[in-house]
Amino acid sequence: MSIKTSWREQWASNVSVNVLAGITATLALVPDSLAFSFMAGVPPVVGIYASICILLVITFLGGRPGMISAAAGSMAVLMLTLVKEQGIEYLFAATVLTGVIQYFMGVFKLGKLMRFVPSGVLTGFINALAIMIFLSQLRYFKGESWVMYVLVAVTLGIIYLVPRFFKAIPSPLIAVVVLTLAVWAFGMGDVTRIGDIAEIDASLPSFLLPDIPFSWDTLWIILPYSLSLAVVGYTETMLTHNLLDEMTGEKTDKNREMRGQGIANIVAGFFGGMAGCALVAESVLNVKMGGKNRLSTLVAALFLLLLVVLLGDLLSLVPMAALVGIMLMVCIAIFDWNSVFRMNRLPVGETGVMVVTVGAVLLTHDLAIGVLAGVFVSIIWFAVKASKVHVHSEWEGSTRTYRVQGQLFFASASELEERIEHDCAAEQVHIDLTGTKVWDHTASLAVRKTVDRLQKNGKQVTVAGV
């Protein structure tokens, strides 16, 4: 593909669709950026600045067009202790170091590690995230009247019904405009708006160096946090990357995405932002609305900047009910309903891995731990299945032949020793390993022990296929 053709596809194709998709994704991004700032214990503007910087950089340097990267809740929970104990300037420094680590993750091509994540873990990751997003929206209903429930229902009605008759403008965007105008026109003063949750600071982010001592002591303070942030950001980004590749039927560069995200976090740290990564909900919303190229993420970044700097007062008027409705729609869209309603048609192992992943995420509120738990269970399940070794024996005169089929490794080595009779009546024993493979030292040692014991019992032993 030529550079000119690639440029046209990413910037000049389906312009109106990508512009509207980017705007819609921004509306879903605003409440998340504010909420994640609260989770990290920092002012709301920190999450907004991070989202703007990361989106702008990743638009040009990322490897997955259409993927929304910004301040993330999975990373925000790791920042709270650092901010409380050391202050916000240390958070900015940790964000820069996180970016450096992630950049080298891309340089050393760690994106290939995602091939070891089975589909059951990916399904569990998506389902757990949908549940967490749903639960996070419930806090906006506390203390609210029946009006809040009606407005959320109206939002969902617009989102699902309007596309049946009109598709030129994304229905979530229509819902936000309609509800904002309705709340203003009918003077619904008791309806919670964005401005009631956080004050939107109408200013541009500016370059700054973290006000901290540049010493080895500082490095040892921020390094553990940066490593944790880098790993969590890597995990969520790569899983989101996989999901979007499946949705669009494309194969994109994961290592380029990590290098781009590393640079994006470095920039965010120097402009007063917190570390971030790819967001599943907003990314899926963007792609489903048609935002599949780089123009959509650029529009999302610029529209967020426009909202904060020029339209902060207008943004403050948007009712939270409209944004809650959009996030509930995203939950419904990303949850894999087949994994529940067709559970009896799926392999037991895959269902078990999915359930463990979901359970671990909901218990720890940490997506990375859930993924690690799912991968660990997958490994154990694979080891159990692979440890089944079949040993068939047959006689030819005074010679007994054992034919071994299966995989010989640490979990199945003892099976070999148990199935071969060391004191049988045969004068010669032939062990045929052509139908198996010896994977590790434990299995090799088991073969040697079996041969030694047969020889000690006076047998002539031959082994084939080692």
Side-chain angles (χ1 to χ4, degrees):
M1 183 184 297
S2 67
I3 295 176
K4 185 176 181 180
T5 303
S6 177
W7 183 91
R8 186 183 299 112
E9 285 188 1
Q10 293 301 322
W11 300 102
S13 63
N14 297 322
V15 172
S16 60
V17 173
N18 280 276
V19 168
L20 292 173
I23 292 173
T24 305
T26 302
L27 295 174
L29 188 61
V30 169
D32 274 2
S33 297
L34 299 176
F36 298 155
S37 298
F38 297 145
M39 289 172 65
V42 296
V45 72
V46 173
I48 295 290
Y49 285 170
S51 298
I52 293 172
C53 291
I54 293 172
L55 268 173
L56 280 174
V57 174
I58 210 71
T59 292
F60 298 97
L61 300 183
R64 171 63 255 184
M67 187 160 71
I68 302 292
S69 294
S74 57
M75 301 178 78
V77 296
L78 302 175
M79 305 172 187
L80 183 59
T81 303
L82 177 63
V83 174
K84 280 186 176 180
E85 294 181 355
Q86 305 296 337
I88 194 170
E89 296 293 333
Y90 279 80
L91 172 61
F92 299 150
T95 297
V96 174
L97 183 56
T98 298
V100 173
I101 295 171
Q102 289 183 324
Y103 178 80
F104 283 104
M105 284 180 168
V107 169
F108 291 109
K109 299 182 178 181
L110 297 187
K112 61 186 177 183
L113 294 178
M114 292 311 297
R115 71 181 67 173
F116 298 107
V117 178
S119 61
V121 174
L122 179 59
T123 302
F125 167 79
I126 299 302
N127 289 350
L129 186 65
I131 295 171
M132 288 179 65
I133 294 173
F134 174 79
L135 295 176
S136 70
Q137 300 308 302
L138 297 182
R139 67 180 184 272
Y140 296 114
F141 291 93
K142 292 182 180 179
E144 296 289 340
S145 66
W146 59 270
V147 177
M148 176 69 174
Y149 295 88
V150 172
L151 291 177
V152 171
V154 170
T155 301
L156 290 171
I158 293 173
I159 289 173
Y160 286 110
L161 294 177
V162 167
R164 296 184 179 184
F165 310 99
F166 181 72
K167 296 182 179 180
I169 301 176
S171 58
L173 182 57
I174 295 175
V176 170
V177 174
V178 169
L179 261 70
T180 302
L181 291 175
V183 169
W184 172 77
F186 291 102
M188 300 180 185
D190 58 340
V191 173
T192 302
R193 299 171 173 83
I194 290 179
D196 299 325
I197 296 178
E199 182 179 351
I200 307 299
D201 185 9
S203 63
L204 285 169
S206 56
F207 181 84
L208 57 87
L209 287 174
D211 186 15
I212 58 171
F214 290 91
S215 64
W216 288 107
D217 290 338
T218 300
L219 177 62
W220 293 122
I221 289 173
I222 65 175
L223 182 59
Y225 293 97
S226 296
L227 284 172
S228 299
L229 290 168
V231 171
V232 170
Y234 164 86
T235 304
E236 188 165 355
T237 297
M238 291 297 98
L239 290 174
T240 306
H241 199 125
N242 276 357
L243 178 64
L244 296 188
D245 278 1
E246 289 183 9
M247 288 177 61
T248 59
E250 302 171 344
K251 276 197 172 184
T252 49
D253 192 342
K254 294 181 175 63
N255 296 310
R256 178 182 174 183
E257 183 66 33
M258 284 311 304
R259 295 194 299 272
Q261 189 174 113
I263 297 173
N265 276 323
I266 292 172
V267 171
F270 282 127
F271 279 86
M274 55 199 276
C277 65
L279 302 180
V280 179
E282 285 77 2
S283 297
V284 170
L285 177 63
N286 185 46
V287 171
K288 281 186 174 292
M289 292 297 111
K292 298 179 182 180
N293 62 31
R294 297 184 187 275
L295 179 62
S296 63
T297 51
L298 178 62
V299 168
L302 295 178
F303 187 61
L304 181 58
L305 183 63
L306 179 68
L307 284 177
V308 173
V309 176
L310 299 179
L311 304 176
D313 294 337
L314 182 61
L315 177 62
S316 299
L317 296 177
V318 175
M320 284 304 303
L323 303 182
V324 170
I326 292 175
M327 297 309 294
L328 292 180
M329 180 272 288
V330 171
C331 294
I332 296 171
I334 68 175
F335 191 90
D336 189 344
W337 298 100
N338 286 334
S339 65
V340 176
F341 296 119
R342 297 184 180 179
M343 190 176 292
N344 59 333
R345 300 183 185 180
L346 298 174
V348 175
E350 185 168 335
T351 300
V353 168
M354 185 269 290
V355 171
V356 168
T357 303
V358 172
V361 171
L362 296 181
L363 285 174
T364 63
H365 298 283
D366 192 324
L367 291 167
I369 290 178
V371 170
L372 290 175
V375 171
F376 178 75
V377 172
S378 297
I379 293 172
I380 297 300
W381 181 256
F382 172 78
V384 170
K385 291 180 66 177
S387 65
K388 296 178 180 179
V389 175
H390 301 283
V391 181
H392 306 281
S393 67
E394 54 190 47
W395 287 84
E396 280 188 32
S398 61
T399 300
R400 190 171 188 180
T401 300
Y402 289 95
R403 303 190 189 280
V404 184
Q405 293 181 329
Q407 306 300 315
L408 285 177
F409 62 110
F410 64 89
S412 60
S414 59
E415 194 79 7
L416 179 71
E417 296 183 72
E418 293 173 3
R419 295 293 183 88
I420 295 180
E421 298 180 37
H422 303 135
D423 55 354
C424 64
E427 296 178 2
Q428 296 181 341
V429 175
H430 179 66
I431 302 176
D432 184 0
L433 299 178
T434 55
T436 185
K437 183 173 177 62
V438 178
W439 286 99
D440 59 12
H441 179 67
T442 303
S444 178
L445 194 61
V447 173
R448 292 179 184 177
K449 286 182 178 179
T450 300
V451 172
D452 289 343
R453 289 173 183 172
L454 287 168
Q455 289 176 340
K456 285 180 181 179
N457 285 324
K459 318 295 182 186
Q460 293 182 1
V461 183
T462 57
V463 181
V466 177

